[in-house]
């Protein structure tokens, strides 16, 4: 296996809340410029792990590094712009689609030109005419696309995605996969992608992490999901019908 | 009014007691407790006030005001358990209201600096400020709870805690101020304010009673605004830590 330069490195990371240990002693890397899918059963701690990556949560033990720098020492706002997250069912803020897309810049006190908002909308596969629509009137899938565009507006170098296609139909799913691939290839953005869809995980990923019950069971090239010798991983893959 | 006349008014306590008994409302015990408590508490306050007014000692005035602030804090802090340092935040709010209003009233010689004025006005203002604090804290808690996703979203996009909580904070401030403003719009049309009625019954000139009531109303507007806004801006930072994370993180899933 080739040695990758890590965009993000976990070193003995644990996360405990209310005496419950959610993540246990995780050590591993997300290679820079690659797409890594994060798979595991429901409740394994995947979302928690993703939130640790951009400082929405902090590890109770261990350290996370971005290019050799502990993120605990980075300025939270800088860290969150550097590693943008799209959460499962992120809400739309009140207002139009434009208001939502402009939010990241507006938070910095900057203006977001409508033209750029329109381009962003096209990038995520929506017609620029949607700009003036009330964001809360959009369908679940359309909102998901706006929500991805909104995070992209920050020009993050790392993109953290939590089940972003689970609400989408086949066509939209295809569009979003293409989009993420393009963002990854053209802008060199590192992608960490949680998905329940194992076919998607294998199709999209260069690299994979398998998390179960708060532990990192296996990491490696994405085809480990097909070829793993680890019993737990094989059982999980079989169970998910992958 | 003589005590025998006052005793006769207990008839008005008997009416609800009898009604409660015949209709089996089960409110007899509570009615009796309420009656006894109001008699004991108000008489005690009356004697304390009489003592303070007669002694004309400024220290007693300060002590009375301190007691009011203490009681108001004790009452309101239960609603803000989630907020670190809520006790001193309430005390600072009540103190500010007291100092600013009395400073203006006495400084501009709107009212004379006597125990009568200071204590009765303080009582009304701190009492109102307490009710407003409770309204604000209740509303703020439900705004926060109902909008955790949005707060998290703004933080995740690189917003500051203040930006992440701004809408909820403003909503809670507005919601807690509205009843004060609304009730003043119809004042005098539907009911006469209790204080004004009391003065008129005690024999004061209605116009003078109205003038005094107006002072109180304006003071209450000011109190409402200062209480909600001050308490709001003092309390929201306690919801976040130094890493700009929610102190009580949203449960994932
Ligand atoms: N704030 C919290 N307090 C207590 N327990 C929590 C909290 N947040 C998450 N958990 C628990 O941590 C565990 C892991 O949650 P997490 O959301 O990270 O799992 P997940 O792998 O993303 O699951 P899913 O695939 O269903 O989204 C769950 O059992 C969850 O109930
Ligand atoms: Mg999850």
């Amino acid at each position: 296996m080739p040695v990758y330069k890590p965009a993000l490195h976990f070193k003995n990371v644990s996360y405990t809340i209310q005496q419950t240990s959610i993540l246990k002693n995780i050590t591993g890397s997300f290679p820079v410029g690659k797409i890594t899918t994060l798979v595991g059963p429901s409740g394994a701690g995947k979302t928690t792990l993703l939130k640790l990556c951009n400082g929405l949560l902090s590890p109770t033990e261990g350290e996370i590094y971005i290019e050799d720098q502990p993120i605990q020492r980075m300025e939270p706002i800088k860290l969150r712009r550097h590693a943008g997250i799209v959460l499962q069912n992120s809400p739309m803020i009140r207002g139009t689609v434009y208001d939502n897309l402009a939010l990241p810049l507006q938070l910095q006190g900057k203006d977001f030109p409508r033209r750029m908002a329109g381009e962003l909308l096209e990038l995520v596969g929506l017609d620029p005419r949607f700009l003036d629509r009330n964001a809360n009137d959009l369908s679940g899938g359309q909102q998901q696309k706006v929500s991805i565009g909104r995070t992209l507006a920050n020009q993050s170098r790392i993109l953290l995605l939590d089940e972003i296609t689970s609400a989408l139909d086949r066509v939209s799913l295809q569009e979003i996969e293409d989009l993420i691939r393009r963002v990854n290839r053209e802008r060199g953005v590192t992608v960490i992608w949680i998905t329940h869809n194992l076919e998607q995980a294998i199709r999209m990923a260069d690299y994979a992490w398998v998390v179960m019950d708060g532990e990192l069971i296996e990491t490696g090239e994405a085809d480990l999901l097909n070829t793993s010798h680890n019993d737990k991983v094989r059982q999980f893959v079989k169970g998910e019908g992958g | 009014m003589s005590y025998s006349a006052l005793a006769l008014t207990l008839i008005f306590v008997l009416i609800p007691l009898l009604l409660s008994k015949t209709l089996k409302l089960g409110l007899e015990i509570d009615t009796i407790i309420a009656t006894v408590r109001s008699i004991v508490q108000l008489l005690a306050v009356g004697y304390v006030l009489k003592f303070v007014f007669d002694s004309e000692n400024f220290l007693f005035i300060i002590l009375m005001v301190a007691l009011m602030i203490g009681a108001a804090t004790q009452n309101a802090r239960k609603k803000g358990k989630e907020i670190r340092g809520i006790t001193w935040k309430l005390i600072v709010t009540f103190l500010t209201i007291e100092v600013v209003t009395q400073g203006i009233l006495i400084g501009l010689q709107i009212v004379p600096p006597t125990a009568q004025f200071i204590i009765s006005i303080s009582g009304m203002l701190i009492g109102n400020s307490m009710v407003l604090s409770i309204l604000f804290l209740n509303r703020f808690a439900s705004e926060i709870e109902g909008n955790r996703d949005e707060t998290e979203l703004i933080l995740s996009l690189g917003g500051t805690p203040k930006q992440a909580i701004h809408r909820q904070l403003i909503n809670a401030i507005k919601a807690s101020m509205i009843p004060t403003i609304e009730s003043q719009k119809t004042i005098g049309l539907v009911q006469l304010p209790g204080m004004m009625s009391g003065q008129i019954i005690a024999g004061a000139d209605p116009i003078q009673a109205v003038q005094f009531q107006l002072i109180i109303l304006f003071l209450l507007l000011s109190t409402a605004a200062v209480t909600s806004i001050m308490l709001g801006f003092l309390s929201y930072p306690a919801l976040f830590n130094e890493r700009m994370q929610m102190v009580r993180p949203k449960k994932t899933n």
Side-chain angles (χ1 to χ4, degrees):
Chain A
M1 187 171 64
V3 184
Y4 294 110
K5 189 166 165 265
L8 208 71
H9 177 68
F10 278 55
K11 191 173 167 194
N12 302 114
V13 170
S14 298
Y15 180 78
T16 301
I17 186 163
Q18 291 160 3
Q19 284 98 40
T20 321
S21 165
I22 312 276
L23 293 173
K24 299 158 195 153
N25 197 25
I26 290 189
T27 300
S29 295
F30 295 99
V32 73
K34 305 276 175 203
I35 297 178
T36 304
T37 48
L38 188 53
V39 298
S42 194
K46 303 181 296 294
T47 300
T48 307
L49 198 152
L50 212 63
K51 287 185 180 180
L52 289 174
C53 294
N54 80 338
L56 278 177
L57 298 172
S58 289
T60 36
E61 274 171 68
E63 196 80 71
I64 300 168
Y65 299 85
I66 284 181
E67 287 155 18
D68 298 332
Q69 191 187 8
I71 63 172
Q72 203 57 17
R73 281 205 230 120
M74 285 173 75
E75 224 227 300
I77 292 180
K78 246 173 121 182
L79 169 63
R80 286 171 195 166
R81 292 206 186 113
H82 183 84
I85 195 166
V86 184
L87 284 168
Q88 210 172 354
N89 312 321
S90 283
M92 294 286 107
I93 60 157
R94 254 154 247 221
T96 61
V97 169
Y98 171 80
D99 294 332
N100 274 275
L101 295 173
L103 180 61
L105 274 107
Q106 186 225 318
L107 290 172
Q108 307 177 52
K110 291 183 191 157
D111 213 37
F112 194 53
R114 277 184 65 87
R115 185 185 47 79
M116 285 175 72
E119 284 170 14
L120 200 52
L121 213 49
E122 274 187 313
L123 185 71
V124 294
L126 285 176
D127 195 294
R129 279 177 305 173
F130 275 86
L131 273 187
D132 293 316
R133 290 271 285 274
N134 182 336
N136 278 302
D137 292 344
L138 266 47
S139 73
Q142 291 166 335
Q143 288 188 355
Q144 193 62 273
K145 290 178 182 173
V146 173
S147 151
I148 295 167
R150 186 171 59 189
T151 297
L152 287 174
N154 259 334
Q155 309 267 352
S156 307
R157 296 307 301 153
I158 301 174
L159 202 51
L160 310 163
L161 310 172
D162 194 354
E163 310 247 5
I164 53 165
T165 57
S166 47
L168 300 184
D169 57 58
R170 277 191 95 78
V171 179
S172 301
L173 181 139
Q174 184 68 50
E175 284 169 358
I176 293 300
E177 288 188 357
D178 290 347
L179 161 71
I180 299 301
R181 224 179 252 120
R182 243 181 307 139
V183 170
N184 166 252
R185 300 240 170 95
E186 290 169 14
R187 302 189 191 172
V189 171
T190 304
V191 178
I192 303 174
W193 190 339
I194 296 178
T195 175
H196 262 134
N197 179 340
L198 278 184
E199 282 169 36
Q200 179 177 58
I202 295 163
R203 183 164 67 232
M204 291 298 297
D206 304 303
Y207 209 71
W209 275 40
V210 186
V211 177
M212 287 182 192
D213 202 16
E215 291 179 62
L216 178 57
I217 301 290
E218 198 163 10
T219 69
E221 307 271 342
D223 63 354
L224 79 84
L225 295 172
N226 284 327
T227 59
S228 175
H229 295 297
N230 186 311
D231 282 346
K232 285 188 197 165
V233 177
R234 287 167 72 146
Q235 218 160 18
F236 169 67
V237 172
K238 218 166 110 194
E240 294 282 313
Chain B
M1 197 174 0
S2 64
Y3 275 106
S4 58
L6 191 59
L8 269 181
T9 61
L10 284 177
I11 292 172
F12 295 117
V13 178
L14 281 178
I15 294 175
L17 275 181
L18 283 174
L19 286 176
S20 172
K21 190 136 183 76
T22 19
L23 293 179
K24 297 201 173 65
L25 300 181
L27 294 173
E28 294 96 298
I29 306 268
D30 279 318
T31 310
I32 292 171
I33 291 177
T35 309
V36 173
R37 277 191 64 163
S38 52
I39 294 173
V40 173
Q41 290 168 0
L42 283 180
L43 279 180
V45 167
Y47 282 110
V48 170
L49 286 178
K50 193 167 162 47
F51 170 75
V52 173
F53 293 171
D54 289 345
S55 77
E56 286 184 17
N57 188 335
F58 201 69
L59 219 66
F60 285 128
I61 299 181
I62 293 187
L63 197 67
M64 283 290 291
V65 172
L67 273 175
M68 288 172 186
I69 292 182
T73 305
Q74 186 58 35
N75 243 323
R77 58 184 277 206
K78 292 175 214 143
K79 298 291 170 193
K81 270 181 271 163
E82 304 261 302
I83 294 164
R84 238 182 305 126
I86 187 64
T87 305
W88 73 259
K89 287 168 185 175
L90 283 164
I91 292 177
V92 168
T93 305
F94 296 144
L95 262 181
T96 307
I97 296 217
E98 179 66 17
V99 170
V100 169
T101 53
Q102 298 293 351
I104 294 174
L105 286 175
I106 294 171
L108 297 179
Q109 298 183 335
I110 297 168
V111 301
T114 60
Q116 276 91 328
F117 279 100
I118 296 179
I119 290 176
S120 31
I121 291 177
S122 299
M124 272 183 278
L125 297 190
I126 294 172
N128 265 276
S129 184
M130 175 189 83
V131 172
L132 247 111
S133 306
I134 292 172
L135 269 179
F136 169 80
L137 289 171
N138 271 336
R139 183 58 187 259
F140 195 33
S142 69
E143 284 282 334
I144 294 164
E145 214 37 61
N147 293 290
R148 281 182 169 272
D149 282 340
E150 189 180 317
T151 306
E152 186 176 56
L153 168 76
I154 294 175
L155 289 176
S156 79
L157 291 173
T160 61
K162 188 170 167 199
Q163 290 171 322
I165 204 83
H166 186 260
R167 200 174 63 82
Q168 292 90 303
L169 184 61
I170 295 298
N171 280 351
I173 289 175
K174 268 169 79 175
S176 58
M177 284 176 61
I178 284 172
T180 305
I181 298 172
E182 284 304 313
S183 75
Q184 298 201 0
K185 283 189 191 163
T186 56
I187 201 152
L189 297 180
V190 184
Q191 55 168 337
L192 294 179
M195 191 206 67
M196 199 174 100
S197 312
Q199 269 191 306
I200 293 173
I201 289 168
D205 169 28
I207 298 301
Q208 217 185 358
V210 165
Q211 286 175 341
F212 201 73
Q213 184 67 47
L214 279 178
I215 298 182
I216 298 295
L217 289 183
F218 299 156
L219 282 173
L220 290 183
L221 275 180
S222 213
T223 303
V226 173
T227 302
S228 306
I229 293 169
M230 238 187 110
L231 198 56
F233 281 87
L234 284 177
S235 19
Y236 88 81
L239 303 168
F240 301 91
N241 64 20
E242 72 291 344
R243 294 293 299 163
M244 299 192 181
Q245 296 158 343
M246 285 188 265
V247 170
R248 249 169 17 94
K250 194 175 96 65
K251 203 164 156 51
T252 56
N253 302 357

